[in-house]
Amino acid sequence: MKKLNLVKAALIGFAILGASPHGAFAEKLRVMTGSPSGVLNVPMNRAVVVESDEPFAEISVANAEIADISTLSDRSIYVLGRTPGLTTMTLLAPNGTLITNVQVQVTPDVTEFKERLRQIMPNEAIEVRTANDGIVLSGVISSVTMMERAVELAERYAPGRVSNLLNIGGTQQVMLKVRFAEMTRSVSKNLSSSIGLSNTDMTSSTGTWLSSDNSATSIADNGGVTVKEGTLGAINIGGSIGNTELSILLEAMEEKGLVRTLAEPNLTALSGQQAKFLAGGEYPIPVSDEDGIYIDYKPFGVELEFVPRVINGDQINLEMRAAVSGIDSTVNYSVNGFTLNSFKRRETSTTVELRDGQSFAIAGLLQDDFEDLIGQVPWLGDIPVLGALFRSTDYSRRQSELVIIVTPHLVSPTNGLALSLPTDRVKVPTESELFLFGKTFGGTSAPKSGAAAEVAKQDFSGSYGYVME
């Protein structure tokens, strides 16, 4: 008899061990006759043993899909949680009287989930609780990325039943500073010559130009040379031998140009939220359709659009698009009676990762365009030395360099009184300052330090303008 009891106890132990995922013994709940039974919490896919102080003859469960039961003896019940939910287990005595009703609450297994959180995110203070058939996450977490990871892991244990009550600690607002810097240099040189011959014994309008370009017209009736309007750097040398007049036109021209473009837009956004910025205008463009012509507007200027994400501490993931565009009046076309200009645009779109205060040159362009063109009178232009009088040479070169640098900063709100505006340093002039002294702004002292002081040192007529310190 003693040996039979040992075998029976061993079988019960193996059954309990088989139902426990980690090989640990199941929890136990003791049911006392005549006393109210509390809620029996059963983790999903785990087992709980219920012991009764009175032998029972019949046992039933209201919803077998939530909890599965089996009897180990006339006093022990094996309860296995299957699906999160709440159900009732009823115990009846041999005489048919009710022993007790036990409320069985099956919840997601948060024990393993807590262990996985500690392994994956050991430095995060995340509290895990169960509510009804779901998981509730609370506490303070370091970043949005870590919060997304925690919620994604919780979804594996309670799909669609995760309540996210986590708060993000630290600074989560990012100010992005973008600097557009472009330098353009151009040089153009031109050297051309033309020779004209005229005989006064012939018709006065008769003349011959041996010319490699069209910078001059034919010889006039008075024997002179008429240069086309707009021609610069032209020298006319002429003379006559008997009835024959000779004219030589030399043209030499050199043009140089330098363009500097600088834009520094700043924009602040919350981590994970999109922010847009446009400083410029909109250009009207007529568009024709079946209903007629309507006006569409194309934006131009400095455009900035970015989405910052604070990953961990001061590490920032930055998804951005930046562009600088302007109207190019050198290229235009006409349509339906409208004259439209083209646009010159420099744009970049990228995703980078950097820390607070660090900078990245996310885009750069070095462009060098070279062009030369030689026009000459056939055969005569190939004569050594003298052939230069029958040639026209054009040379042009254009170099441009563009750099776009981004610098993110983690920022916090401050007192409004601590912020200065570009209008704070400008006062309305009094009548005496305006009419007697010709001042367009009132008395104010120039700044001594900061960005405003650097601008004030330049050759402007005052220390005012849009400057942020």
Side-chain angles (χ1 to χ4, degrees):
M1 185 65 182
K2 185 176 182 180
K3 184 182 294 185
L4 183 60
N5 290 336
L6 290 174
V7 173
K8 185 176 181 180
L11 291 175
I12 294 173
F14 281 124
I16 297 174
L17 284 173
S20 180
H22 300 287
F25 285 95
E27 302 178 12
K28 292 185 178 181
L29 176 69
R30 187 171 183 83
V31 176
M32 305 297 293
T33 304
S35 62
S37 299
V39 178
L40 176 62
N41 293 313
V42 183
M44 189 174 61
N45 297 325
R46 287 180 176 267
V48 171
V49 175
V50 179
E51 293 184 349
S52 175
D53 65 340
E54 179 181 340
F56 56 84
E58 186 177 349
I59 182 173
S60 63
V61 64
N63 191 342
E65 294 182 356
I66 296 178
D68 188 15
I69 59 174
S70 59
T71 58
L72 302 177
S73 66
D74 58 351
R75 294 176 182 267
S76 301
I77 309 165
Y78 184 78
V79 182
L80 176 64
R82 291 189 175 275
T83 305
L86 181 65
T87 187
T88 303
M89 182 178 63
T90 303
L91 280 70
L92 299 177
N95 58 3
T97 60
L98 176 66
I99 297 177
T100 187
N101 285 324
V102 180
Q103 299 293 327
V104 180
Q105 176 75 54
V106 179
T107 58
D109 185 10
V110 296
T111 303
E112 182 182 359
F113 174 53
K114 291 180 180 179
E115 183 63 26
R116 294 294 176 266
L117 278 180
R118 284 193 293 267
Q119 294 174 356
I120 298 174
M121 293 175 280
N123 299 324
E124 302 294 341
I126 302 177
E127 299 178 3
V128 181
R129 297 181 178 87
T130 59
N132 196 5
D133 59 346
I135 294 178
V136 179
L137 302 178
S138 60
V140 180
I141 200 166
S142 61
S143 65
V144 176
T145 303
M146 301 302 289
M147 181 181 68
E148 293 175 350
R149 292 177 182 177
V151 173
E152 181 181 357
L153 183 60
E155 287 286 344
R156 294 183 175 272
Y157 291 87
R161 302 186 305 275
V162 178
S163 298
N164 182 14
L165 302 181
L166 291 170
N167 294 321
I168 302 175
T171 302
Q172 296 297 313
Q173 294 181 118
V174 180
M175 184 188 74
L176 182 64
K177 180 180 181 181
V178 182
R179 287 177 288 172
F180 297 86
E182 182 178 15
M183 291 292 297
T184 301
R185 182 178 63 176
S186 62
V187 60
S188 176
K189 298 180 181 180
N190 174 270
L191 178 63
S192 63
S193 62
S194 302
I195 298 178
L197 296 174
S198 176
N199 193 319
T200 57
D201 290 341
M202 303 177 65
T203 306
S204 62
S205 61
T206 300
T208 302
W209 273 101
L210 300 178
S211 176
S212 54
D213 61 2
N214 59 352
S215 60
T217 61
S218 62
I219 297 177
D221 294 341
N222 59 1
V225 175
T226 303
V227 182
K228 293 182 66 174
E229 183 179 356
T231 302
L232 302 177
I235 301 177
N236 179 26
I237 302 175
S240 61
I241 303 175
N243 295 329
T244 302
E245 183 178 350
L246 174 66
S247 295
I248 300 176
L249 177 64
L250 299 178
E251 182 184 358
M253 188 64 189
E254 181 178 5
E255 296 179 354
K256 295 180 180 180
L258 181 66
V259 178
R260 174 180 180 265
T261 302
L262 179 64
E264 296 189 15
N266 296 335
L267 190 60
T268 303
L270 189 66
S271 176
Q273 301 297 317
Q274 185 185 60
K276 295 182 179 180
F277 175 91
L278 172 63
E282 291 186 336
Y283 185 78
I285 299 177
V287 179
S288 178
D289 60 3
E290 57 184 9
D291 297 329
I293 298 177
Y294 68 93
I295 301 298
D296 189 16
Y297 291 90
K298 177 180 177 61
F300 67 91
V302 180
E303 301 175 62
L304 178 61
E305 178 180 335
F306 77 105
V307 180
R309 295 180 178 88
V310 181
I311 300 176
N312 188 12
D314 61 348
Q315 191 172 2
I316 304 170
N317 179 279
L318 192 63
E319 178 182 350
M320 66 164 295
R321 185 183 69 86
V324 176
S325 59
I327 300 175
D328 187 3
S329 59
T330 60
V331 180
N332 52 62
Y333 67 97
S334 299
V335 56
N336 296 330
F338 297 95
T339 300
L340 304 178
N341 297 108
S342 63
F343 284 81
K344 183 171 61 175
R345 184 178 179 89
R346 284 84 72 203
E347 181 178 358
T348 180
S349 178
T350 185
T351 301
V352 295
E353 192 170 292
L354 61 172
R355 296 188 180 277
D356 178 21
Q358 292 182 336
S359 298
F360 249 132
I362 63 170
L365 172 64
L366 179 61
Q367 187 173 356
D368 191 348
D369 298 329
F370 169 78
E371 180 182 359
D372 59 0
L373 177 64
I374 297 179
Q376 66 179 22
V377 177
W379 301 297
L380 297 180
D382 296 329
I383 299 175
V385 183
L386 294 178
L389 297 176
F390 304 94
R391 286 197 301 266
S392 175
T393 305
D394 291 322
Y395 165 86
S396 63
R397 187 174 184 180
R398 181 182 178 88
Q399 294 176 323
S400 63
E401 183 176 4
L402 170 67
V403 176
I404 302 178
I405 300 175
V406 297
T407 306
H409 294 280
L410 293 175
V411 294
S412 300
T414 185
N415 190 346
L417 298 177
L419 300 177
S420 61
L421 299 176
T423 55
D424 291 344
R425 298 184 301 273
V426 181
K427 298 179 181 179
V428 178
T430 62
E431 292 184 356
S432 60
E433 290 175 335
L434 178 62
F435 292 103
L436 297 180
F437 300 101
K439 291 185 178 182
T440 57
F441 61 96
T444 179
S445 59
K448 303 299 182 182
S449 61
E454 295 297 325
V455 175
K457 294 178 183 178
Q458 302 179 15
D459 53 348
F460 294 100
S461 59
S463 60
Y464 53 87
Y466 187 78
V467 179
M468 294 188 66
E469 296 180 324

